[in-house]
Amino acid sequence: PALRADILTPEYCALGKDEEEGGGVQAVNAWFGPAGTVTPLHTDPHHNLLAQVVGRKYVRLYAPAHTAAMYPFPDGMNTNSSQVDLSDVDHDKFPLFKDAPYLDCVLSPGQMLYIPPGWWHAVYSLSVSFSVSFWWC
């Protein structure tokens, strides 16, 4: 809780719906971990601004138009997560995946990346890393 006072919400997060419409910041998440930390391929339900504070992260993104090629889990709590393991893709089991175009980048301290709702993304810490994500509607 004490760290929260040091995290300021970027003005970009006010570009969604009015608060009366259920808009505004939905969550602020702090992510801290060692090099090699992996967040598997998934989507988020809100606009996401990922701010890198310390260290570097590799981010790979796939557009929602390629959801079928991401092979999301069919039911349960993981329907926003892909069955594809990016570190060891089984092309026989997931044949559409190999043709899915992607964007990628490396975030360094002081940089932010906007991830629209529904975009598939995986995140890899390249070093000890601290980042903050802001979700808003």
CSV table of all heavy atoms in Angstrom, one decimal, residues 78-117:
chain,number,residue,atom,x,y,z
A,78,ASN,N,-9.6,-19.6,-18.0
A,78,ASN,CA,-8.5,-19.3,-18.9
A,78,ASN,C,-8.9,-19.1,-20.4
A,78,ASN,O,-8.0,-19.1,-21.2
A,78,ASN,CB,-7.5,-20.5,-18.9
A,78,ASN,CG,-6.8,-20.6,-17.5
A,78,ASN,OD1,-6.7,-19.6,-16.8
A,78,ASN,ND2,-6.4,-21.8,-17.2
A,79,THR,N,-10.1,-18.7,-20.6
A,79,THR,CA,-10.5,-18.4,-22.0
A,79,THR,C,-9.8,-17.2,-22.6
A,79,THR,O,-9.8,-17.1,-23.8
A,79,THR,CB,-12.0,-18.2,-22.1
A,79,THR,OG1,-12.4,-17.2,-21.3
A,79,THR,CG2,-12.8,-19.5,-21.8
A,80,ASN,N,-9.1,-16.4,-21.8
A,80,ASN,CA,-8.3,-15.3,-22.3
A,80,ASN,C,-6.9,-15.7,-22.4
A,80,ASN,O,-6.0,-14.8,-22.7
A,80,ASN,CB,-8.4,-14.1,-21.4
A,80,ASN,CG,-7.7,-14.3,-20.0
A,80,ASN,OD1,-7.8,-15.4,-19.5
A,80,ASN,ND2,-7.1,-13.3,-19.6
A,81,SER,N,-6.5,-17.0,-22.3
A,81,SER,CA,-5.2,-17.4,-22.3
A,81,SER,C,-5.0,-18.4,-23.5
A,81,SER,O,-5.9,-19.2,-23.8
A,81,SER,CB,-4.8,-18.1,-21.0
A,81,SER,OG,-4.8,-17.2,-20.0
A,82,SER,N,-3.8,-18.4,-24.1
A,82,SER,CA,-3.5,-19.3,-25.2
A,82,SER,C,-3.0,-20.6,-24.7
A,82,SER,O,-2.3,-20.7,-23.7
A,82,SER,CB,-2.5,-18.6,-26.1
A,82,SER,OG,-2.0,-19.5,-27.1
A,83,GLN,N,-3.3,-21.7,-25.5
A,83,GLN,CA,-2.7,-23.0,-25.2
A,83,GLN,C,-1.3,-23.1,-25.8
A,83,GLN,O,-0.6,-24.0,-25.5
A,83,GLN,CB,-3.6,-24.1,-25.8
A,83,GLN,CG,-5.0,-24.1,-25.2
A,83,GLN,CD,-5.8,-25.2,-25.9
A,83,GLN,OE1,-5.5,-26.4,-25.8
A,83,GLN,NE2,-6.9,-24.7,-26.6
A,84,VAL,N,-0.9,-22.1,-26.6
A,84,VAL,CA,0.4,-22.2,-27.3
A,84,VAL,C,1.5,-21.7,-26.3
A,84,VAL,O,1.4,-20.7,-25.7
A,84,VAL,CB,0.4,-21.3,-28.5
A,84,VAL,CG1,1.8,-21.3,-29.2
A,84,VAL,CG2,-0.7,-21.7,-29.5
A,85,ASP,N,2.5,-22.5,-26.2
A,85,ASP,CA,3.7,-22.2,-25.4
A,85,ASP,C,4.7,-21.5,-26.3
A,85,ASP,O,5.3,-22.2,-27.2
A,85,ASP,CB,4.3,-23.4,-24.7
A,85,ASP,CG,5.5,-23.2,-23.9
A,85,ASP,OD1,6.0,-22.0,-23.9
A,85,ASP,OD2,6.0,-24.1,-23.3
A,86,LEU,N,4.9,-20.2,-26.3
A,86,LEU,CA,5.8,-19.5,-27.2
A,86,LEU,C,7.2,-20.1,-27.2
A,86,LEU,O,7.9,-20.0,-28.2
A,86,LEU,CB,5.8,-18.0,-27.0
A,86,LEU,CG,4.6,-17.3,-27.4
A,86,LEU,CD1,4.7,-15.8,-27.1
A,86,LEU,CD2,4.3,-17.5,-28.9
A,87,SER,N,7.6,-20.6,-26.1
A,87,SER,CA,9.0,-21.1,-25.9
A,87,SER,C,9.2,-22.5,-26.6
A,87,SER,O,10.3,-22.9,-26.8
A,87,SER,CB,9.5,-21.1,-24.5
A,87,SER,OG,8.7,-22.1,-23.8
A,88,ASP,N,8.1,-23.1,-26.9
A,88,ASP,CA,8.2,-24.5,-27.5
A,88,ASP,C,6.9,-24.8,-28.3
A,88,ASP,O,6.1,-25.6,-27.8
A,88,ASP,CB,8.4,-25.5,-26.4
A,88,ASP,CG,8.7,-26.9,-27.0
A,88,ASP,OD1,9.1,-27.0,-28.1
A,88,ASP,OD2,8.4,-27.9,-26.2
A,89,VAL,N,6.7,-24.1,-29.4
A,89,VAL,CA,5.4,-24.2,-30.1
A,89,VAL,C,5.3,-25.6,-30.8
A,89,VAL,O,6.2,-26.0,-31.5
A,89,VAL,CB,5.3,-23.1,-31.2
A,89,VAL,CG1,4.0,-23.2,-32.0
A,89,VAL,CG2,5.4,-21.7,-30.6
A,90,ASP,N,4.2,-26.2,-30.5
A,90,ASP,CA,3.9,-27.5,-31.2
A,90,ASP,C,3.1,-27.2,-32.4
A,90,ASP,O,1.9,-27.0,-32.4
A,90,ASP,CB,3.1,-28.4,-30.2
A,90,ASP,CG,2.7,-29.7,-30.7
A,90,ASP,OD1,2.8,-29.9,-32.0
A,90,ASP,OD2,2.4,-30.6,-29.9
A,91,HIS,N,3.8,-27.1,-33.6
A,91,HIS,CA,3.1,-26.7,-34.8
A,91,HIS,C,2.2,-27.8,-35.3
A,91,HIS,O,1.3,-27.5,-36.1
A,91,HIS,CB,4.2,-26.4,-35.9
A,91,HIS,CG,4.9,-25.1,-35.5
A,91,HIS,ND1,4.4,-23.9,-35.6
A,91,HIS,CD2,6.2,-25.0,-35.1
A,91,HIS,CE1,5.2,-23.0,-35.2
A,91,HIS,NE2,6.4,-23.6,-34.9
A,92,ASP,N,2.3,-29.1,-34.9
A,92,ASP,CA,1.4,-30.1,-35.3
A,92,ASP,C,0.0,-29.9,-34.6
A,92,ASP,O,-1.0,-30.0,-35.2
A,92,ASP,CB,1.9,-31.5,-35.0
A,92,ASP,CG,3.1,-31.8,-35.9
A,92,ASP,OD1,3.1,-31.4,-37.0
A,92,ASP,OD2,4.0,-32.6,-35.4
A,93,LYS,N,0.1,-29.5,-33.3
A,93,LYS,CA,-1.1,-29.3,-32.5
A,93,LYS,C,-1.8,-28.0,-32.8
A,93,LYS,O,-3.0,-27.8,-32.7
A,93,LYS,CB,-0.7,-29.4,-31.0
A,93,LYS,CG,-1.9,-29.4,-30.1
A,93,LYS,CD,-1.5,-29.7,-28.7
A,93,LYS,CE,-2.6,-29.8,-27.7
A,93,LYS,NZ,-2.2,-30.0,-26.3
A,94,PHE,N,-0.9,-27.0,-33.2
A,94,PHE,CA,-1.4,-25.6,-33.4
A,94,PHE,C,-1.0,-25.1,-34.7
A,94,PHE,O,-0.2,-24.1,-34.8
A,94,PHE,CB,-0.9,-24.7,-32.3
A,94,PHE,CG,-1.2,-25.2,-30.9
A,94,PHE,CD1,-0.1,-25.5,-30.0
A,94,PHE,CD2,-2.5,-25.3,-30.4
A,94,PHE,CE1,-0.4,-26.0,-28.7
A,94,PHE,CE2,-2.7,-25.8,-29.1
A,94,PHE,CZ,-1.7,-26.1,-28.3
A,95,PRO,N,-1.5,-25.7,-35.8
A,95,PRO,CA,-0.9,-25.3,-37.2
A,95,PRO,C,-1.2,-23.9,-37.6
A,95,PRO,O,-0.4,-23.4,-38.4
A,95,PRO,CB,-1.6,-26.3,-38.1
A,95,PRO,CG,-2.9,-26.7,-37.3
A,95,PRO,CD,-2.5,-26.7,-35.9
A,96,LEU,N,-2.2,-23.3,-37.2
A,96,LEU,CA,-2.5,-21.9,-37.6
A,96,LEU,C,-1.6,-20.9,-37.0
A,96,LEU,O,-1.4,-19.8,-37.5
A,96,LEU,CB,-4.0,-21.5,-37.2
A,96,LEU,CG,-5.1,-22.3,-37.9
A,96,LEU,CD1,-6.4,-21.8,-37.3
A,96,LEU,CD2,-5.0,-22.2,-39.4
A,97,PHE,N,-0.9,-21.2,-35.9
A,97,PHE,CA,-0.1,-20.3,-35.2
A,97,PHE,C,1.1,-19.8,-36.0
A,97,PHE,O,1.4,-18.6,-35.9
A,97,PHE,CB,0.3,-20.9,-33.8
A,97,PHE,CG,1.1,-19.9,-33.0
A,97,PHE,CD1,0.4,-18.9,-32.3
A,97,PHE,CD2,2.5,-19.9,-32.9
A,97,PHE,CE1,1.1,-18.0,-31.5
A,97,PHE,CE2,3.2,-19.0,-32.2
A,97,PHE,CZ,2.5,-18.0,-31.5
A,98,LYS,N,1.7,-20.7,-36.7
A,98,LYS,CA,2.9,-20.3,-37.4
A,98,LYS,C,2.7,-19.1,-38.4
A,98,LYS,O,3.7,-18.4,-38.7
A,98,LYS,CB,3.6,-21.5,-38.1
A,98,LYS,CG,2.8,-22.0,-39.3
A,98,LYS,CD,3.6,-23.2,-39.9
A,98,LYS,CE,3.0,-23.9,-41.1
A,98,LYS,NZ,1.6,-24.0,-41.1
A,99,ASP,N,1.5,-19.0,-38.9
A,99,ASP,CA,1.3,-17.9,-39.9
A,99,ASP,C,0.7,-16.6,-39.3
A,99,ASP,O,0.4,-15.7,-40.0
A,99,ASP,CB,0.3,-18.4,-41.0
A,99,ASP,CG,0.9,-19.6,-41.8
A,99,ASP,OD1,2.2,-19.5,-42.1
A,99,ASP,OD2,0.2,-20.5,-42.2
A,100,ALA,N,0.5,-16.6,-38.0
A,100,ALA,CA,0.0,-15.4,-37.4
A,100,ALA,C,1.0,-14.3,-37.3
A,100,ALA,O,2.1,-14.5,-36.7
A,100,ALA,CB,-0.5,-15.7,-36.0
A,101,PRO,N,0.7,-13.1,-37.9
A,101,PRO,CA,1.7,-12.0,-37.8
A,101,PRO,C,1.7,-11.4,-36.4
A,101,PRO,O,0.7,-11.5,-35.7
A,101,PRO,CB,1.2,-11.0,-38.8
A,101,PRO,CG,-0.2,-11.3,-38.9
A,101,PRO,CD,-0.4,-12.8,-38.7
A,102,TYR,N,2.9,-10.9,-36.0
A,102,TYR,CA,3.0,-10.3,-34.7
A,102,TYR,C,3.9,-9.1,-34.8
A,102,TYR,O,4.6,-8.8,-35.7
A,102,TYR,CB,3.5,-11.3,-33.7
A,102,TYR,CG,4.9,-11.8,-34.0
A,102,TYR,CD1,6.1,-11.1,-33.5
A,102,TYR,CD2,5.2,-13.0,-34.7
A,102,TYR,CE1,7.3,-11.6,-33.7
A,102,TYR,CE2,6.4,-13.4,-34.9
A,102,TYR,CZ,7.5,-12.7,-34.5
A,102,TYR,OH,8.8,-13.2,-34.7
A,103,LEU,N,3.7,-8.3,-33.7
A,103,LEU,CA,4.6,-7.1,-33.5
A,103,LEU,C,5.4,-7.4,-32.2
A,103,LEU,O,4.9,-8.1,-31.3
A,103,LEU,CB,3.7,-5.9,-33.3
A,103,LEU,CG,2.8,-5.5,-34.4
A,103,LEU,CD1,1.9,-4.4,-33.9
A,103,LEU,CD2,3.6,-5.0,-35.6
A,104,ASP,N,6.6,-6.9,-32.1
A,104,ASP,CA,7.3,-7.1,-30.9
A,104,ASP,C,8.2,-5.9,-30.6
A,104,ASP,O,8.4,-5.1,-31.4
A,104,ASP,CB,8.1,-8.4,-30.8
A,104,ASP,CG,9.2,-8.5,-31.9
A,104,ASP,OD1,9.3,-7.6,-32.8
A,104,ASP,OD2,10.0,-9.4,-31.9
A,105,CYS,N,8.5,-5.7,-29.3
A,105,CYS,CA,9.4,-4.6,-28.9
A,105,CYS,C,10.0,-5.0,-27.6
A,105,CYS,O,9.7,-6.0,-26.9
A,105,CYS,CB,8.5,-3.4,-28.7
A,105,CYS,SG,7.4,-3.4,-27.4
A,106,VAL,N,11.0,-4.2,-27.2
A,106,VAL,CA,11.7,-4.3,-25.9
A,106,VAL,C,11.4,-2.9,-25.2
A,106,VAL,O,11.7,-1.9,-25.8
A,106,VAL,CB,13.2,-4.5,-26.1
A,106,VAL,CG1,13.9,-4.5,-24.7
A,106,VAL,CG2,13.4,-5.9,-26.7
A,107,LEU,N,10.8,-3.0,-24.0
A,107,LEU,CA,10.6,-1.8,-23.2
A,107,LEU,C,11.8,-1.6,-22.3
A,107,LEU,O,12.2,-2.6,-21.6
A,107,LEU,CB,9.3,-2.0,-22.4
A,107,LEU,CG,8.0,-2.0,-23.1
A,107,LEU,CD1,6.9,-2.2,-22.1
A,107,LEU,CD2,7.8,-0.7,-23.9
A,108,SER,N,12.2,-0.4,-22.2
A,108,SER,CA,13.3,0.0,-21.3
A,108,SER,C,12.8,1.0,-20.3
A,108,SER,O,11.7,1.5,-20.5
A,108,SER,CB,14.4,0.7,-22.1
A,108,SER,OG,15.0,-0.3,-23.0
A,109,PRO,N,13.5,1.2,-19.2
A,109,PRO,CA,13.0,2.2,-18.2
A,109,PRO,C,12.6,3.5,-18.8
A,109,PRO,O,13.2,4.1,-19.7
A,109,PRO,CB,14.2,2.4,-17.3
A,109,PRO,CG,15.0,1.1,-17.4
A,109,PRO,CD,14.8,0.7,-18.9
A,110,GLY,N,11.4,4.0,-18.4
A,110,GLY,CA,10.8,5.2,-18.9
A,110,GLY,C,9.9,5.1,-20.1
A,110,GLY,O,9.3,6.1,-20.5
A,111,GLN,N,9.8,3.9,-20.6
A,111,GLN,CA,9.0,3.7,-21.8
A,111,GLN,C,7.7,3.1,-21.4
A,111,GLN,O,7.6,2.3,-20.4
A,111,GLN,CB,9.7,2.8,-22.8
A,111,GLN,CG,11.0,3.4,-23.4
A,111,GLN,CD,11.6,2.6,-24.5
A,111,GLN,OE1,11.7,1.3,-24.3
A,111,GLN,NE2,12.1,3.2,-25.5
A,112,MET,N,6.6,3.3,-22.2
A,112,MET,CA,5.3,2.8,-22.0
A,112,MET,C,4.8,2.2,-23.3
A,112,MET,O,5.2,2.6,-24.4
A,112,MET,CB,4.3,3.8,-21.6
A,112,MET,CG,4.7,4.4,-20.2
A,112,MET,SD,3.4,5.5,-19.6
A,112,MET,CE,3.4,6.9,-20.7
A,113,LEU,N,4.0,1.2,-23.2
A,113,LEU,CA,3.4,0.5,-24.4
A,113,LEU,C,1.9,0.4,-24.1
A,113,LEU,O,1.4,-0.1,-23.1
A,113,LEU,CB,3.9,-0.9,-24.5
A,113,LEU,CG,3.3,-1.7,-25.7
A,113,LEU,CD1,3.6,-1.1,-27.0
A,113,LEU,CD2,3.8,-3.2,-25.6
A,114,TYR,N,1.1,0.9,-25.1
A,114,TYR,CA,-0.3,0.8,-25.1
A,114,TYR,C,-0.7,-0.5,-25.7
A,114,TYR,O,-0.3,-0.8,-26.8
A,114,TYR,CB,-1.0,2.0,-25.8
A,114,TYR,CG,-2.5,1.8,-26.0
A,114,TYR,CD1,-3.4,1.7,-24.9
A,114,TYR,CD2,-3.0,1.6,-27.3
A,114,TYR,CE1,-4.7,1.5,-25.1
A,114,TYR,CE2,-4.4,1.4,-27.5
A,114,TYR,CZ,-5.2,1.4,-26.4
A,114,TYR,OH,-6.6,1.2,-26.6
A,115,ILE,N,-1.5,-1.3,-25.0
A,115,ILE,CA,-2.0,-2.6,-25.5
A,115,ILE,C,-3.6,-2.5,-25.5
A,115,ILE,O,-4.2,-2.4,-24.4
A,115,ILE,CB,-1.6,-3.8,-24.6
A,115,ILE,CG1,0.0,-3.8,-24.5
A,115,ILE,CG2,-2.1,-5.1,-25.1
A,115,ILE,CD1,0.5,-4.8,-23.4
A,116,PRO,N,-4.2,-2.5,-26.6
A,116,PRO,CA,-5.6,-2.3,-26.7
A,116,PRO,C,-6.3,-3.6,-26.2
A,116,PRO,O,-5.8,-4.7,-26.1
A,116,PRO,CB,-5.9,-2.2,-28.2
A,116,PRO,CG,-4.6,-1.8,-28.8
A,116,PRO,CD,-3.6,-2.4,-28.0
A,117,PRO,N,-7.6,-3.4,-25.7
A,117,PRO,CA,-8.3,-4.6,-25.2
A,117,PRO,C,-8.4,-5.7,-26.3
A,117,PRO,O,-8.5,-5.4,-27.5
A,117,PRO,CB,-9.8,-4.1,-25.0
A,117,PRO,CG,-9.6,-2.6,-24.9
A,117,PRO,CD,-8.4,-2.2,-25.7
